[in-house]
């Protein structure tokens, strides 16, 4: 079994969604939301498909509708036991820090929601390492998944000081020729800290770079890690599956 711990399965992205899901028969997907609308979609998918779990939340660049009322709507969806985390949430200063206070406020409120329901958080952080670290330092005991990790080895070490059990979502970027920084991080990390992901429909791995990504492509990331770590593909699958089951408390039938 292989688990894609972070993919987006919105209808707008996949006219052939049934086919995309069928490609993962016998494997598991954790569908991620980035606003209230996609959170509803994730909720529906988890109820329709046995092998789909979900995380819900407001992405830092999707906060137009974030307020106390929509946060309460998000909380209602947590009655669904196949919603296994809050995410993707976090900070994104790529286009500037004009809304940094709003982003930090939304991030903290959603972390506190996760704590209330004893759920892990799935973190999006881009060009915001310092503020991300400062916030996470206040919550060392919550389960954290640094989705699509893109910072340096030094930042990874700081994150591991906050929480030695921190998970790092590793996807197709690892296979890119220019991903020297991420390769250094993966070489350093213990396998117990690694989760597989695709971030579909984005960031398709080599040899499919430039095409629309899908969860079935998780295998290419697993193969790349196996070669880097000089271990078998089956061992990568086994360890990362165990990591995902533990991280998200998956009740796999």
């Amino acid at each position: 079994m292989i688990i894609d711990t972070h993919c987006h399965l919105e209808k707008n992205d996949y006219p052939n969604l049934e086919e995309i899901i069928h490609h993962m028969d016998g494997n598991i997907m954790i569908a991620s939301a980035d606003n209230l609308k996609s959170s509803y979609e994730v909720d529906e998918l988890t109820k329709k498909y046995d092998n789909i779990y979900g995380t819900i939340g407001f992405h830092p660049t999707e906060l137009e509708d974030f307020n106390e009322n929509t946060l309460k709507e998000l909380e209602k969806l947590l009655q669904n036991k196949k919603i296994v985390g809050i995410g993707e949430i976090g900070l994104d200063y790529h286009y500037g820090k004009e809304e940094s206070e709003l982003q930090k406020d939304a991030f903290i409120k959603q972390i506190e929601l996760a704590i209330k329901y004893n759920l892990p958080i799935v973190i999006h952080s881009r060009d915001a390492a310092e503020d991300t670290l400062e916030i996470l330092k206040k919550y060392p005991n919550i389960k954290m998944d640094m989705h699509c990790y893109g910072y340096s080895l030094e930042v990874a070490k700081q994150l591991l000081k906050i929480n030695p059990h921190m998970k790092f979502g590793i996807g197709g970027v690892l296979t890119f020729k220019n991903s020297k920084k991420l390769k250094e991080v993966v070489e350093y990390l213990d396998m117990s800290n690694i989760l597989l992901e695709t971030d579909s429909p984005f960031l398709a791995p080599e040899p499919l770079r430039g095409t629309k990504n899908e969860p079935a492509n998780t295998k290419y990331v697993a193969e790349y890690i196996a070669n880097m770590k000089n271990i078998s593909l089956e061992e990568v699958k086994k360890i990362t599956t165990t990591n995902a089951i533990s991280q998200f408390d998956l009740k796999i039938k």
Side-chain angles (χ1 to χ4, degrees), residues 21 87 94 98-99 102 104 106 113-114 127 151 233 242 251:
I21 292 170
H94 184 67
E98 292 79 7
E99 295 187 340
L102 173 62
K104 286 189 278 189
L113 179 62
D127 297 340
Y151 293 126
L233 175 59
T242 299
K251 311 299 185 186

Side-chain angles (χ1 to χ4, degrees), residues 22 88 175 196:
H22 179 68
E88 62 186 279
T175 70
L196 300 177

Side-chain angles (χ1 to χ4, degrees), residues 160-229:
L160 288 167
K161 283 182 180 179
I162 293 171
N163 185 334
H165 304 292
M166 174 84 65
K167 299 295 186 285
F168 294 78
I170 307 299
V173 174
L174 181 67
T175 70
F176 299 172
K177 290 179 181 178
N178 61 349
S179 64
K180 181 180 177 182
K181 188 168 61 174
L182 182 57
K183 288 180 174 67
E184 289 176 351
V185 172
V186 172
E187 285 172 354
Y188 174 82
L189 290 176
D190 188 87
M191 282 299 300
S192 64
N193 296 109
I194 293 176
L195 296 173
L196 300 177
E197 64 167 59
T198 62
D199 202 18
S200 298
F202 315 107
L203 302 174
E206 297 288 359
L208 304 171
R209 188 173 182 181
T211 66
K212 183 177 286 189
N213 205 3
E214 64 171 281
N217 293 336
T218 312
K219 64 184 178 183
Y220 293 106
V221 182
E223 288 169 356
Y224 203 92
I225 292 173
N227 289 331
M228 284 186 68
K229 294 284 193 181

Side-chain angles (χ1 to χ4, degrees), residues 234-253:
E234 286 310 308
E235 190 170 358
V236 171
K237 288 182 179 180
K238 181 179 178 181
I239 294 172
T240 56
T241 294
T242 299
N243 293 347
I245 290 171
S246 174
Q247 180 77 359
F248 294 100
D249 194 22
L250 301 182
K251 311 299 185 186
I252 295 175
K253 296 179 182 178

Side-chain angles (χ1 to χ4, degrees), residues 8-240:
H8 299 275
L9 298 174
E10 295 177 35
K11 297 170 188 174
N12 288 343
D13 291 318
Y14 295 107
N16 59 335
L17 185 57
E18 290 278 350
E19 180 183 345
I20 295 297
I21 292 170
H22 179 68
H23 292 165
M24 281 289 278
D25 281 355
N27 297 294
I28 301 293
M29 292 156 278
I30 301 179
S32 181
D34 50 24
N35 54 35
L36 188 59
K37 178 179 177 291
S38 59
S39 293
Y40 287 135
E41 285 194 44
V42 165
D43 179 58
E44 291 174 7
L45 285 169
T46 66
K47 292 172 179 175
K48 185 174 181 180
Y49 298 97
D50 287 344
N51 64 332
I52 296 181
Y53 295 80
T55 65
I56 59 173
F58 285 83
H59 185 284
T61 64
E62 295 279 336
L63 297 176
E64 295 87 354
D65 300 322
F66 181 83
N67 55 52
E68 292 300 326
N69 289 330
T70 52
L71 193 60
K72 287 177 183 177
E73 288 299 309
L74 207 66
E75 186 170 2
K76 289 177 184 177
L77 296 178
L78 297 180
Q79 302 307 310
N80 176 0
K81 297 307 178 185
K82 288 185 75 183
I83 301 299
V84 294
I86 302 297
E88 62 186 279
I89 63 175
L91 304 175
D92 192 323
Y93 299 163
H94 184 67
Y95 296 107
K97 298 178 67 173
E98 292 79 7
E99 295 187 340
S100 61
E101 293 306 313
L102 173 62
Q103 289 190 19
K104 286 189 278 189
D105 178 65
F107 189 21
I108 290 167
K109 284 178 178 174
Q110 291 179 97
I111 291 173
E112 291 173 349
L113 179 62
I115 291 170
K116 180 178 178 180
Y117 286 87
N118 193 29
L119 292 170
I121 56 174
V122 180
I123 302 159
H124 170 105
S125 182
R126 183 164 65 156
D127 297 340
E130 184 177 347
D131 283 353
T132 300
L133 286 165
E134 283 305 307
I135 289 172
L136 295 182
K137 283 176 184 175
K138 300 173 185 176
Y139 305 97
N141 298 318
I142 190 171
K143 288 182 178 180
M144 304 175 188
D145 168 15
M146 291 297 299
H147 149 65
C148 196
Y149 186 75
Y151 293 126
S152 66
L153 177 57
E154 181 54 39
V155 173
K157 289 178 179 179
Q158 291 181 63
L159 287 163
L160 288 167
K161 283 182 180 179
I162 293 171
N163 185 334
H165 304 292
M166 174 84 65
K167 299 295 186 285
F168 294 78
I170 307 299
V173 174
L174 181 67
T175 70
F176 299 172
K177 290 179 181 178
N178 61 349
S179 64
K180 181 180 177 182
K181 188 168 61 174
L182 182 57
K183 288 180 174 67
E184 289 176 351
V185 172
V186 172
E187 285 172 354
Y188 174 82
L189 290 176
D190 188 87
M191 282 299 300
S192 64
N193 296 109
I194 293 176
L195 296 173
L196 300 177
E197 64 167 59
T198 62
D199 202 18
S200 298
F202 315 107
L203 302 174
E206 297 288 359
L208 304 171
R209 188 173 182 181
T211 66
K212 183 177 286 189
N213 205 3
E214 64 171 281
N217 293 336
T218 312
K219 64 184 178 183
Y220 293 106
V221 182
E223 288 169 356
Y224 203 92
I225 292 173
N227 289 331
M228 284 186 68
K229 294 284 193 181
N230 196 28
I231 58 178
S232 71
L233 175 59
E234 286 310 308
E235 190 170 358
V236 171
K237 288 182 179 180
K238 181 179 178 181
I239 294 172
T240 56

